Amino acid sequence: RQQRRIEAALRQAEEASRAKSQFLANMSHELRTPLNAIIGYSEMLLEEIEEEQQHIDLGRIHASAQSLLSMIDDVLDLSHHESRRVPAEPITCDLSILAEDVCDSFRALLESDNTRARGNRFEQVIEQGIEAFTDPDKIERIALNLLSNANNFTSDGLITLTLKRSGEDAILSVSDTGIGIADTQQLFLPLNGLEHDDASIKQGKGLGLAICKRYTEILGGSIAVDSRVREGSTFTVTIPLQIEDRHAEQLEDKRALTGQLS
């Protein structure tokens, strides 16, 4: 009887998960249509309007719509991972080149009109020739999310990306001199983002960090944070240079089962 109850509970959890994923997919479609219109029209107006204050206001509208669209993508990513096992797709790649490309993308973000006002500086320390058999797309997403998070909670400070090899692992870290984090225990849970009473600090929903943790686990690695209030934070990701597909699948199966039972 106990076994039948467990099986029934698992079926109910699976059905609820599928219904949630379908609901989020449908809502995503409905939300994207007006958001894309807002983004498109704001871009057209930004090209035509010359008055400085109006240009600034439209830029804020455009940035807010882009931020909301990105948040929808993050929610869908989390839902996708919760509803099915998402395996790694490993290939042979050079993590050093990947990290340099990520840094170039982040520098472009720092130079954008909406980000330059934060006054942050950026440095990179990348060890060359780190070859790996892993999923580069997931590593790129992890690095960009950590850099974006650091920029959101830092003003007039320094952000640093470091990549090095340690034995059979690659160590990727992103540090900042921002506001710091008082309590890191629940930091990687979805919708458990940081808040701050400083209006200049962009508030977050914690989706990016939750995705970082999920992706790191898929790659067979780990993520940790060391932070001090008003001094800054360092997020460190340890990723095996040779991913084991079987290990990654077991991690995802275990996480999925745990989520269903809870």
Side-chain angles (χ1 to χ4, degrees):
R1 288 196 298 270
Q2 180 69 15
Q3 181 65 27
R4 286 197 296 270
R5 284 197 294 267
I6 292 174
E7 290 174 354
L10 283 174
R11 285 195 297 271
Q12 291 176 358
E14 290 170 355
E15 291 172 1
S17 179
R18 284 194 293 268
K20 179 185 67 175
S21 297
Q22 187 61 48
F23 170 77
L24 288 174
N26 293 339
M27 286 302 298
S28 169
H29 175 73
E30 298 299 326
L31 291 171
R32 283 172 181 272
T33 300
L35 270 177
N36 285 328
I38 293 171
I39 292 170
Y41 279 114
S42 61
E43 288 175 347
M44 290 171 56
L45 291 171
L46 281 170
E47 294 178 357
E48 297 176 2
I49 290 179
E50 298 181 358
E51 201 276 322
E52 182 177 0
Q53 186 57 50
Q54 291 183 350
H55 199 278
I56 293 173
D57 292 338
L58 277 170
R60 289 170 178 165
I61 293 173
H62 181 265
S64 296
Q66 290 279 23
S67 177
L68 186 55
L69 191 60
S70 176
M71 189 183 302
I72 292 171
D73 289 338
D74 287 342
V75 170
L76 285 174
D77 262 359
L78 286 172
S79 175
H80 185 68
H81 283 288
E82 289 175 355
S83 63
R84 69 190 72 178
R85 177 174 54 81
V86 180
E89 298 180 359
I91 60 172
T92 300
C93 57
D94 190 326
L95 295 183
S96 306
I97 296 175
L98 173 66
E100 290 175 350
D101 290 342
V102 167
C103 290
D104 289 342
S105 298
F106 184 63
R107 282 196 178 88
L109 173 66
L110 290 180
E111 290 300 317
S112 65
D113 292 338
N114 296 316
T115 307
R116 191 185 303 119
R118 304 197 64 79
N120 290 323
R121 295 171 289 115
F122 177 60
E123 293 181 355
Q124 66 185 61
V125 181
I126 298 175
E127 181 180 329
Q128 297 299 309
I130 303 180
E131 293 189 358
F133 182 71
T134 187
D135 190 329
D137 291 337
K138 289 182 174 59
I139 293 178
E140 180 180 14
R141 182 73 179 275
I142 291 169
L144 287 172
N145 277 348
L146 291 178
L147 288 169
S148 177
N149 191 71
N151 187 60
N152 288 344
F153 292 94
T154 305
S155 293
D156 298 318
L158 175 65
I159 299 170
T160 305
L161 181 143
T162 303
L163 176 69
K164 62 181 180 180
R165 177 170 180 162
S166 177
E168 298 302 315
D169 297 324
I171 310 296
L172 172 72
S173 66
V174 173
S175 62
D176 63 68
T177 58
I179 62 175
I181 306 165
D183 182 7
T184 61
Q185 291 185 352
Q186 306 296 318
L187 189 60
F188 296 101
L189 295 179
L191 300 177
N192 201 62
L194 296 173
E195 294 184 358
H196 198 264
D197 54 7
D198 186 344
S200 68
I201 298 297
K202 184 178 180 181
Q203 308 300 307
K205 298 303 180 185
L207 296 173
L209 290 179
I211 290 173
C212 286
K213 187 174 188 297
R214 298 281 172 84
Y215 279 177
T216 302
E217 291 174 347
I218 290 172
L219 298 175
S222 61
I223 184 169
V225 57
D226 179 26
S227 183
R228 293 175 176 81
V229 176
R230 292 186 295 276
E231 293 184 16
S233 305
T234 298
F235 288 83
T236 302
V237 180
T238 303
I239 299 173
L241 293 175
Q242 297 291 325
I243 189 172
E244 298 180 13
D245 291 336
R246 182 182 304 173
H247 178 60
E249 291 178 2
Q250 289 173 347
L251 281 173
E252 278 297 289
D253 289 338
K254 180 179 179 181
R255 186 191 59 75
L257 179 60
T258 301
Q260 291 171 356
L261 291 175
S262 62

